[in-house]
Amino acid sequence: MKTLIAAYSGVLRGERRAEAARSESSNGGSALSREGSGRWGTGSSILFALQDLFSITWLNRSKVEKQLQVISVLQWVLTFLTMGMGCSVILMYMFCTDCWLISVLYLTWLVFDWNTPKKGGRRSKWVRNWAVWRYFRDYFPIQLVKTHNLLTTRNYIFGYHPHGIMGLGAFCNFSTEATEVSKKFPGIRPYLATLAGNFRMPVLREYLMSGGICPVNRDTIDYLLSKNGSGNAIIIVVGGAAESLSSMPGKNVVTLRNRKGFVKLALRHGADLVPIYSFGENEVFKQVIFQEGSWGRWVQKKFQKYIGFAPCVFHGRGLFSSDTWGLLPYSKPITTVVGEPITIPKLEHPTQQDIDLYHAMYMEALVKLFDKHKTKFGLPETEVLEVN
């Protein structure tokens, strides 16, 4: 408002100067000069006022966008941590209220729909293209880098590294269209595989399936690679819960040396293996690392063995300040590089020698991918990928 008032005042001052110039008939040339000066003053005042107005508008818009980015990431973190258990509690509570029929109808439908996640779920193009995911992407920001084309006549198993705390890069790149995965790899349908236990949680399972997320178990992978046509890409975070326990800023460590099940599945179905490394995935949260033999590590391993995930003691930044602790990840760049596919033959009964051979090829390809791109994304030439 003040800016508009200032502009209006400038206009009035210019008009007054022009009027004064016209009234001085004793010196026509001088009057004409002053009249021109008045007109120039009018135009410049309006120009400066508009520049101020656009500057303020841009700053306000930038601030609003940053707030929307924070909100979009916060909702996903809360969903990741609480949605499954929260919806289960609400559903149980509704049994004790006048809304009990809603719970009965949902659970009845759930029984009939139980095996849908094992068949790839119900992908929703609308959900994958929500604007909230673009704000989610820009908060860090997250980038997807393509290095090679993928044939739509083949199926693929993508090995995603590292796990990080929440696998933020894996979710944004392959469960949404924020980084345009479908445009970069036309004809390829990505399925991000996660813990099967998530699909036993009411409502959460629907949310996950809408993004193209599926259970990481043999039945699901067998179905997608043998009965769902070609052009399927299953993204497996190979290191899993064990790898998340090593996640910390400044550390590039993957758990891979004894993880060979995904290679066996690829051989049985003739699905090509594609190594992926996500630079910056370990930078967005800080974690308390318990040493081997400590009580904290013992508890984490027990959870990992019997439940399938390891509880991490971690923190990010606060909601209102990056100088405080909270659940929001730090806004550090995450760049996910998709490597060159490794052609895998189809062997119904692969031997251990076959598995070891292609597993070694995969490890070599992952290390080469890391070494080729590390300096582009802020790592020194001396940085080494540690493979455990």
Side-chain angles (χ1 to χ4, degrees):
M1 189 66 183
K2 291 180 180 178
T3 306
L4 293 176
I5 291 173
Y8 182 62
S9 299
V11 172
L12 290 179
R13 285 194 299 269
E15 288 176 350
R16 287 167 186 159
R17 285 195 294 269
E19 185 65 29
R22 284 192 296 270
S23 67
E24 293 185 14
S25 58
S26 59
N27 190 344
S30 176
L32 182 60
S33 174
R34 283 193 292 271
E35 183 178 355
S37 175
R39 289 173 180 169
W40 173 254
T42 301
S44 62
S45 297
I46 294 175
L47 179 61
F48 290 141
L50 289 175
Q51 286 177 340
D52 288 344
L53 182 61
F54 289 144
S55 177
I56 293 170
T57 303
W58 182 85
L59 289 173
N60 287 338
R61 181 180 178 183
S62 178
K63 187 175 181 180
V64 169
E65 285 188 352
K66 187 61 181 177
Q67 291 171 342
L68 289 172
Q69 291 168 13
V70 169
I71 292 170
S72 68
V73 174
L74 180 62
Q75 67 83 23
W76 188 86
V77 170
L78 294 178
T79 297
F80 181 89
L81 296 175
T82 66
M83 188 176 187
M85 189 59 66
C87 289
S88 299
V89 171
I90 291 172
L91 203 65
M92 292 171 61
Y93 171 75
M94 289 174 64
F95 268 118
C96 305
T97 69
D98 294 337
C99 299
W100 61 270
L101 184 59
I102 296 175
S103 295
V104 170
L105 290 174
Y106 179 81
L107 291 177
T108 302
W109 177 80
L110 191 62
V111 170
F112 287 100
D113 193 59
W114 191 253
N115 290 324
T116 299
K118 296 179 181 180
K119 298 179 180 180
R122 282 183 296 273
R123 179 188 303 262
S124 169
K125 185 178 180 181
W126 175 63
V127 173
R128 288 175 61 90
N129 282 281
W130 278 353
V132 68
W133 306 132
R134 293 192 289 275
Y135 289 112
F136 182 97
R137 172 201 65 198
D138 293 339
Y139 172 85
F140 296 95
I142 296 175
Q143 180 184 5
L144 180 65
V145 177
K146 171 185 175 180
T147 62
H148 292 80
N149 292 324
L150 299 180
L151 299 175
T152 58
T153 55
R154 301 284 293 173
N155 284 323
Y156 301 90
I157 292 180
F158 288 6
Y160 185 91
H161 312 270
H163 184 287
I165 297 295
M166 294 184 181
L168 296 164
F171 172 80
C172 184
N173 286 310
F174 301 111
S175 294
T176 79
E177 292 297 328
T179 55
E180 300 184 330
V181 62
S182 294
K183 291 182 180 179
K184 291 178 179 177
F185 298 102
I188 301 297
R189 293 181 299 276
Y191 294 89
L192 177 60
T194 186
L195 291 175
N198 289 324
F199 296 90
R200 302 187 186 101
M201 300 285 188
V203 183
L204 175 63
R205 68 192 294 274
E206 326 300 337
Y207 191 49
L208 295 178
M209 285 193 292
S210 66
I213 302 177
C214 66
V216 60
N217 56 36
R218 180 172 173 175
D219 290 343
T220 304
I221 295 173
D222 282 344
Y223 179 88
L224 292 174
L225 295 181
S226 62
K227 299 179 181 178
N228 200 43
S230 61
N232 301 292
I234 303 173
I235 299 91
I236 300 176
V237 186
V238 179
E243 192 171 83
S244 68
L245 298 178
S246 302
S247 174
M248 61 183 297
K251 199 171 182 180
N252 290 285
V253 181
V254 297
T255 302
L256 177 60
R257 201 169 296 279
N258 295 316
R259 300 291 175 108
K260 301 181 180 180
F262 73 104
V263 178
K264 183 176 182 179
L265 284 169
L267 284 166
R268 289 181 61 244
H269 295 284
D272 294 347
L273 290 171
V274 181
I276 297 176
Y277 196 85
S278 203
F279 294 89
E281 185 72 62
N282 286 342
E283 306 298 319
V284 295
F285 284 109
K286 296 179 181 178
Q287 180 182 190
V288 177
I289 304 293
F290 294 103
Q291 299 299 319
E292 290 293 339
S294 66
W295 66 270
R297 183 52 64 98
W298 179 85
V299 170
Q300 289 175 325
K301 286 189 173 181
K302 289 298 180 183
F303 265 84
Q304 180 186 339
K305 181 178 179 180
Y306 294 108
I307 302 179
F309 76 94
C312 300
V313 182
F314 68 93
H315 73 84
R317 52 157 289 183
L319 181 59
F320 302 106
S321 172
S322 59
D323 297 326
T324 58
W325 288 10
L327 291 176
L328 275 176
Y330 293 102
S331 52
K332 304 289 186 179
I334 298 175
T335 305
T336 303
V337 183
V338 181
E340 182 179 3
I342 302 169
T343 303
I344 304 294
K346 185 174 181 179
L347 304 173
E348 280 195 37
H349 303 287
T351 64
Q352 190 60 47
Q353 186 178 0
D354 295 326
I355 296 170
D356 291 342
L357 172 64
Y358 286 98
H359 182 262
M361 290 173 61
Y362 178 87
M363 285 201 300
E364 182 182 358
L366 179 64
V367 172
K368 284 183 177 179
L369 181 70
F370 177 85
D371 289 338
K372 182 178 180 180
H373 295 276
K374 60 185 177 183
T375 57
K376 299 176 185 177
F377 306 115
L379 296 178
E381 187 65 43
T382 55
E383 185 73 19
V384 176
L385 178 62
E386 184 179 338
V387 181
N388 294 331

